Amino acid sequence: MAIDYTNAMPIATDGSVHNHEGRLLYCSADRFVAHVGEGDHCFICDRTEREIAFNREHVLPNWLLHQFGLHGKSVTLPNRVLHSYGTYRIPCCIDCNTRLSKHFETPISEAFAHGLVSIQALVEREGPERLFHWMALIFLKMHLKDRRLYKHLDRREGDARISETYDWATFHHIHCMVRAHYSGAEIGDYVLGSVLIIQVDPDAGDEPFDLASVTDGFTLYLRAGDVALYAVFNDAQACVGAIEPVLDGITGMLNPLQARELAAELAAANMHLGNRPTFHTLMSDEDGADLQIVARLPVGGPVFADKNHDLVGFVKHFLLQHATGNVEGRSREESCDLLRQNKLSFLFDNDGRFISDGRVPSSDAGSLVANTARFGKRDAIGSEAVLPVPETDMDRPGAGVGLNGRAPESGA
């Protein structure tokens, strides 16, 4: 059944905004929670299968599955159950699926076909916005998929879904960004979060593809071939600066475990951010003219809580527990305990030196982690209030590229 918007006011009772042709320009938080987070509407246009034909949108795009041979392989869900990448899909209307492919998948797949150099060229040519929004799209789809999957395989333990504890309202900002190509919204300064491109050794002997998300840290990590991509979605670019000591210590190409550890550091930094930015959609009139997504930043710059090593260790254990049998001189159980305490690093040895040439941590590793990534309370004013993002350094091997410029000095 089609909806007639001819005589409808553009601003709906829930705060959403349509144009006079019925196109949803702004999806309010309430509508997103009810229709997308907890409903069955198309996550882009908000229409249902009663209004328009649907098909299935892969959480990871089909070209990526083909390029890295993933159709027969599996992703590990938050409940530690394996799910085939080939059936890792969510409903989406055909129109929006086609539009997503044209806007994201065609240009990004062309860049990925030639690895790190061409991905960097894409960013140099048009900026990081498309790549960041593509990462946000994957992150959103992963969590929307969780609402369709049972938390317990044994139904006698209940019929709760994996997403049972998700606060969908916190995903609203990501949803607005993902829809910007559809709504026409302009993206304001610092709406994009932290973004990193890091070179990874393609001959390190591991699978050529890896994916991990940290829900509470609003962080996604994706490794494909010789490139690792990192994105934090709600930090207004603060967290890359917070882990600057880690980035400064990287003096060569990362191996796959090191790339995952860097994701843990970035996610943990976001979980320590105390004065979080807020995000808003602005328009010139009730018709949704001049739609713009803006960030409002805390005056004085980002403030990080004193480092909680139990929290950092929890994230590291979540991302690296599969590798705890690789530590020389320690049992898997001992290595797990060290990870949980944030006393084990695959990035740096006990003297704080970058571990290169495929070496694994030695049995005396453990004391260095507190010295390599410092979170701490910052003064509201002064130079320490602003955490600079490392400038682009193409020549330093494996250093990675901070794509966001420098952090703001004051609130908007």
Side-chain angles (χ1 to χ4, degrees), residues 299-301 378-386:
V299 175
R378 315 288 184 183
D379 296 331
I381 57 175
S383 61
E384 280 298 303
V386 181

Coordinates of all heavy atoms in Angstrom, one line a residue, residues 299-301 378-386:
V299 N 33.9 22.4 24.8 CA 34.8 23.5 24.9 C 36.1 23.0 25.6 O 36.0 22.3 26.6 CB 34.2 24.7 25.7 CG1 35.3 25.8 25.8 CG2 33.0 25.2 24.9
G300 N 37.2 23.3 25.0 CA 38.5 23.0 25.6 C 39.1 21.7 25.1 O 40.2 21.3 25.4
G301 N 38.4 21.0 24.2 CA 38.9 19.8 23.6 C 38.5 18.5 24.4 O 37.9 18.5 25.5
R378 N 42.7 15.6 31.1 CA 43.3 16.8 30.5 C 42.7 18.0 31.1 O 41.5 18.1 31.5 CB 43.1 16.8 29.0 CG 43.3 15.5 28.3 CD 44.8 15.1 28.2 NE 44.9 13.9 27.5 CZ 46.1 13.3 27.3 NH1 47.2 13.7 27.8 NH2 46.1 12.2 26.6
D379 N 43.5 19.1 31.2 CA 42.9 20.3 31.6 C 42.0 20.9 30.6 O 42.1 20.6 29.4 CB 44.0 21.4 31.8 CG 45.0 21.0 33.0 OD1 44.5 20.3 33.9 OD2 46.2 21.3 32.9
A380 N 41.0 21.7 31.0 CA 40.0 22.2 30.0 C 40.6 23.2 29.1 O 40.1 23.4 28.0 CB 38.9 22.9 30.8
I381 N 41.7 23.8 29.4 CA 42.4 24.8 28.5 C 43.9 24.5 28.4 O 44.4 23.7 29.3 CB 42.2 26.2 29.0 CG1 42.7 26.4 30.4 CG2 40.7 26.6 28.9 CD1 42.6 27.8 30.9
G382 N 44.5 25.0 27.5 CA 46.0 24.8 27.3 C 46.2 23.7 26.3 O 45.3 23.1 25.8
S383 N 47.5 23.5 26.0 CA 47.9 22.7 24.8 C 47.5 21.2 25.1 O 47.2 20.5 24.2 CB 49.4 22.8 24.6 OG 50.1 22.4 25.7
E384 N 47.5 20.8 26.3 CA 47.2 19.4 26.6 C 45.7 19.1 26.4 O 45.3 17.9 26.4 CB 47.6 19.0 28.1 CG 49.0 18.7 28.2 CD 49.5 17.6 27.4 OE1 48.9 16.5 27.6 OE2 50.4 17.7 26.6
A385 N 44.9 20.1 26.3 CA 43.4 19.9 26.1 C 43.2 19.4 24.7 O 42.1 18.9 24.4 CB 42.6 21.2 26.3
V386 N 44.1 19.7 23.8 CA 43.9 19.3 22.4 C 44.9 18.2 22.0 O 46.1 18.3 22.1 CB 44.2 20.6 21.5 CG1 43.9 20.2 20.0 CG2 43.3 21.7 21.9

